[in-house]
Amino acid sequence: MQNQSRVDVLGVGFDAVTPDAAVSRSVAILESRGGAVRYVVTPNPEIVESCRRDTVARDAVENAALVLPDGIGVIYAAKILGRPLKTRVTGIDYAAALLEICAERGYGLYLLGAKSGIAEVAADKLRATYDGLRIVGTHDGYFSDDAAVIAAINAAEPHMLFVCLGAPRQETWIARNAEKLDARLAVCLGGALDVWAGIARRAPVRWQKLGLEWLYRLLREPRRIGRMIKLPLFLVRAVGARIRGGGHG
Ligand code: UDP
């Protein structure tokens, strides 16, 4: 069941929050105690498309504590559907705000995902950027034994966990294992560890402001064309849904 207070964009409910509100709601979760780990997802059009076909991914997204609109495509689609979201909440900027808070308050962070060795490099760079940040553990994202990884995470006793396994694996992984994890907040962040480690680069701010991050990424990684071709199709589907007067595509 989709959360009624969310804005439906082609079948996925998004929280219409500003970046500041997203951070304060997350801090409230970090301050809470007990129960399963609560998690945050930042779906882009590609994930919305996966959720149409994949009910496990859709349930995982729906059960998130916060569904943040990352990707300009989601914002455009919401506009086309006539139910605009407040603004884009970019996963990596939202994560940066949380990192500052964790550094200030001494919350422990665990980094899960990316190829072997990348999370460690990202951890070093993050420690250098956020004075006092406590990164209590890292693990690469290419594993098959969930139980061993969960045991390693719990042994490190993090307050927050960044899950960077790519979509929709990261969303289904955290949904499936939320009850077994002792952390308070988990955030699904796709390729963020690669960015922090310096092996993937974010678009320059001007490109970001123009909503052209996707184009920058495509120019740097042309093999993504197959995935990105779905963006215009996604917008066409939003137009179709608007004409038919529905939002579910
Ligand atoms: N990844 C991983 N385990 C997997 C598949 C992918 O840890 O089984 C990592 C991959 O190394 C990369 C990130 O997940 O660091 C996905 O990055 P991408 O930019 O493709 O993210 P998306 O666009 O899917 O959010």
Side-chain angles (χ1 to χ4, degrees), residues 72 211-219 228 231:
I72 198 75
L212 291 176
E213 217 160 353
W214 61 272
L215 178 60
Y216 182 83
R217 208 157 175 204
L218 179 61
L219 294 173
M228 288 197 176
L231 180 63

Side-chain angles (χ1 to χ4, degrees), residues 195-211:
V195 173
W196 289 321
I199 64 163
R201 218 183 311 145
R202 265 196 98 180
V205 174
R206 280 178 72 178
W207 290 59
Q208 290 177 32
K209 284 201 177 134
L210 291 169

Side-chain angles (χ1 to χ4, degrees), residues 10 12 18 79 97 121 148 153-154 165 209 218:
L10 300 172
V12 169
T18 61
K79 266 196 195 136
V121 177
I153 295 171
N154 287 342
L165 305 174
K209 284 201 177 134
L218 179 61

Side-chain angles (χ1 to χ4, degrees), residues 1-3 6 11-13 37 39-41 43 47-67 168-178 188:
M1 251 308 268
Q2 202 174 99
N3 180 328
R6 288 182 174 160
V12 169
V37 68
Y39 61 91
V40 176
V41 295
I47 309 180
V48 175
E49 289 296 300
S50 317
C51 288
R52 286 178 80 194
R53 301 179 300 271
D54 179 347
T55 55
V56 177
R58 193 175 58 220
D59 288 349
V61 169
E62 273 175 14
N63 289 325
L66 265 177
V67 184
R169 184 178 173 209
Q170 57 197 7
E171 289 81 9
T172 54
W173 190 86
I174 193 70
R176 188 170 70 242
N177 295 307
C188 295

